[in-house]
Amino acid sequence: ERSAATFRAREERVAASQESNAWSAISTRYVAILTMLAVALFFLGIASTAKGSARPTLTLGGGALGLFALAWTVTSMATGINHIEQAAIDRLVEGNVALQKGTGYASSDLDKARPCLEEAERAAEGALEQDSDYLSPLLLRAGARLTLANAILSKGSETEETKRLIEGALDD
């Protein structure tokens, strides 16, 4: 239970930090867009008072900056913030607890370690089903696969299962 509470607190803190960083990036982007709009309006304002060959250049530059800022705004609005669902965090916590148990058994009893490590892998997959953009379950699944492969290798020779587990971990 203490492990689960520790894993949950850490993962909720990481998720909140990632969301905060994403909001910070969006606000920075909007400040840049507003600055670009201000420059575009400045160019258009100067163009309205300019005479001669400078007028079309300033008008074109202001219009181009304004259109670019508009396009950037639209694309920025289309990209959202990935809020990690609590259900995904819960599945990840279950998987981390199972991984911890399995790791404890891995060096001494493969038969006890295997179900725990397979449960950690299933929990990671469940978390990914909840939120496919959530990266922590990939690390969990890779850790479970590598721990199981290592436990199998320590008991004998390399098998097709260990190759599959290692390749899967590398993919993650």
Side-chain angles (χ1 to χ4, degrees):
E1 288 179 15
R2 282 188 288 207
S3 293
T6 301
F7 289 132
R8 179 172 280 101
R10 182 190 71 211
E11 204 54 42
E12 286 174 347
R13 187 175 51 251
V14 166
S17 176
Q18 288 173 348
E19 190 172 335
S20 174
N21 290 342
W23 280 113
S24 179
I26 285 176
S27 67
T28 302
R29 188 179 322 137
Y30 283 138
V31 166
I33 290 169
L34 287 172
T35 303
M36 189 175 296
L37 283 172
V39 170
L41 289 172
F42 176 74
F43 280 6
L44 291 173
I46 295 289
S48 69
T49 62
K51 295 191 178 175
S53 65
R55 185 178 208 156
T57 305
L58 289 169
T59 302
L60 183 62
L65 281 174
L67 288 174
F68 182 77
L70 177 65
W72 194 7
T73 302
V74 170
T75 59
S76 294
M77 290 173 58
T79 59
I81 297 293
N82 182 33
H83 175 75
I84 298 170
E85 298 297 325
Q86 187 63 43
I89 292 174
D90 292 343
R91 289 294 288 156
L92 185 78
V93 169
E94 292 170 18
N96 274 312
V97 170
L99 176 61
Q100 188 177 33
K101 286 180 189 175
T103 301
Y105 293 128
S107 62
S108 61
D109 192 346
L110 179 60
D111 292 332
K112 286 184 178 179
R114 181 182 292 275
C116 295
L117 296 170
E118 288 172 348
E119 172 54 32
E121 190 174 346
R122 283 190 301 275
E125 289 166 1
L128 287 168
E129 287 173 10
Q130 295 287 328
D131 187 344
S132 61
D133 293 329
Y134 191 17
L135 298 180
S136 293
L138 294 173
L139 294 173
L140 170 63
R141 188 167 63 184
R145 288 174 173 174
L146 286 175
T147 303
L148 182 55
N150 189 42
I152 294 169
L153 287 170
S154 70
K155 301 300 179 202
S157 63
E158 187 174 328
T159 64
E160 286 302 313
E161 181 185 19
T162 57
K163 289 178 185 177
R164 180 186 55 79
L165 288 166
I166 292 169
E167 286 174 5
L170 289 172
D171 288 344
D172 287 343

